[in-house]
Amino acid sequence: MIEILESVYGVPEARSVDPLDLLVMTILSQNTSDINSGRAFEQLKSRFRSYTELLDASEKEIADAIRPGGLADIKAARIRGTLERLREDFGSVDLSALKKMSPEEARSYLTSIPGIGPKTASVLMLFGFGMPAMPVDTHVYRVSRRIGLVPENASIAETQRILEEITPPEKYLSLHINLIRHGRLVCRARNPLCGKCEVSGLCRYMQTRHITGASF
């Protein structure tokens, strides 16, 4: 599956990104589009010169800066609360302490912060620190169940656990990104383009449709 997806979409490469920026961007991306969250992040960075300066602002000022991303008041509280927790735990608004943690410790610490769930923690671990973690977003969740990488009734937590068990750690990033690409372009939520799918020969959904005689 990984090889086929890489032959179609290429082998993704991790880009260098500031972990704090990534954490804030991931919070802003919750329940909104990439375009809107990107605008919100740009406005936040232009409004505040540093995250320390942001902590000196009121939640209303933060919310006003990220208004394009939606749910501004909720996300402002989450961002502020997260940064305050980091300063309280590490003495500064800094995530470098995670480098010394094991993946299990890092995941446990991050998810102990209100507003940071397993997906946000996994995104930060994988892309911010190169730790073995498999973020499960809506595309990864849908495609992995439809294809048959995990059981159809698997929860998001079970999907993450199974994918991390069956995937070579060095391929977590590749599978994550390419499942998203495949979900957006081919294995769509509605009207999947099964006739154009390069992994149809491995797909449980296709096999089931073939057995029942359905057409696409």
Side-chain angles (χ1 to χ4, degrees):
M1 179 72 67
I2 293 169
E3 291 176 354
I4 294 172
L5 291 174
E6 288 182 346
S7 71
V8 176
Y9 303 109
V11 180
E13 295 183 3
R15 294 180 297 175
S16 177
V17 58
D18 178 83
L20 269 177
D21 282 347
L22 179 60
L23 177 57
V24 172
M25 283 189 286
T26 306
I27 294 174
L28 289 172
S29 72
Q30 296 168 355
N31 300 301
T32 192
S33 67
D34 291 343
I35 293 176
N36 289 340
S37 63
R39 288 173 178 166
F41 181 72
E42 289 177 3
Q43 289 193 185
L44 186 73
K45 294 290 284 187
S46 64
R47 171 64 180 81
F48 303 104
R49 291 173 295 180
S50 69
Y51 290 117
T52 301
E53 180 180 304
L54 183 150
L55 279 176
D56 292 330
S58 67
E59 284 189 15
K60 182 182 183 304
E61 290 176 296
I62 299 171
D64 288 343
I66 62 174
R67 195 69 63 186
L71 300 175
D73 294 337
I74 294 174
K75 292 177 181 179
R78 287 179 179 174
I79 291 170
R80 184 182 180 84
T82 296
L83 299 181
E84 286 178 340
R85 171 72 179 273
L86 295 178
R87 184 165 64 180
E88 178 182 331
D89 291 345
F90 305 129
S92 63
V93 185
D94 188 10
L95 280 166
S96 59
L98 267 68
K99 296 178 182 178
K100 301 178 181 179
M101 297 183 186
S102 68
E104 293 75 18
E105 290 171 333
R107 192 192 305 273
S108 177
Y109 173 75
L110 289 170
T111 54
S112 73
I113 301 174
I116 297 183
K119 187 188 81 169
T120 298
S122 295
V123 167
L124 182 61
M125 291 168 62
L126 180 63
F127 293 98
F129 295 96
M131 292 181 177
M134 176 64 73
V136 177
D137 77 336
T138 182
H139 298 292
V140 173
Y141 186 47
R142 180 184 71 254
V143 175
S144 60
R145 286 182 299 142
R146 181 182 279 168
I147 289 175
L149 294 176
V150 303
E152 289 183 79
N153 62 351
S155 66
I156 293 177
E158 290 171 330
T159 298
Q160 179 173 344
R161 177 183 60 78
I162 293 170
L163 290 178
E164 289 184 347
E165 287 180 355
I166 67 175
T167 307
E170 68 273 12
K171 289 296 183 179
Y172 282 3
L173 186 144
S174 175
L175 183 62
H176 169 74
I177 291 180
N178 283 339
L179 282 177
I180 291 175
R181 289 170 173 168
H182 195 60
R184 286 174 172 168
L185 299 174
V186 178
C187 196
R188 304 179 303 192
R190 296 183 179 181
N191 302 316
L193 304 178
C194 297
K196 298 181 179 181
C197 180
E198 296 289 343
V199 298
S200 59
L202 301 175
C203 179
R204 176 175 59 200
Y205 181 76
M206 276 289 286
Q207 292 170 357
T208 302
R209 287 290 186 171
H210 178 71
I211 291 172
T212 59
S215 59
F216 296 90

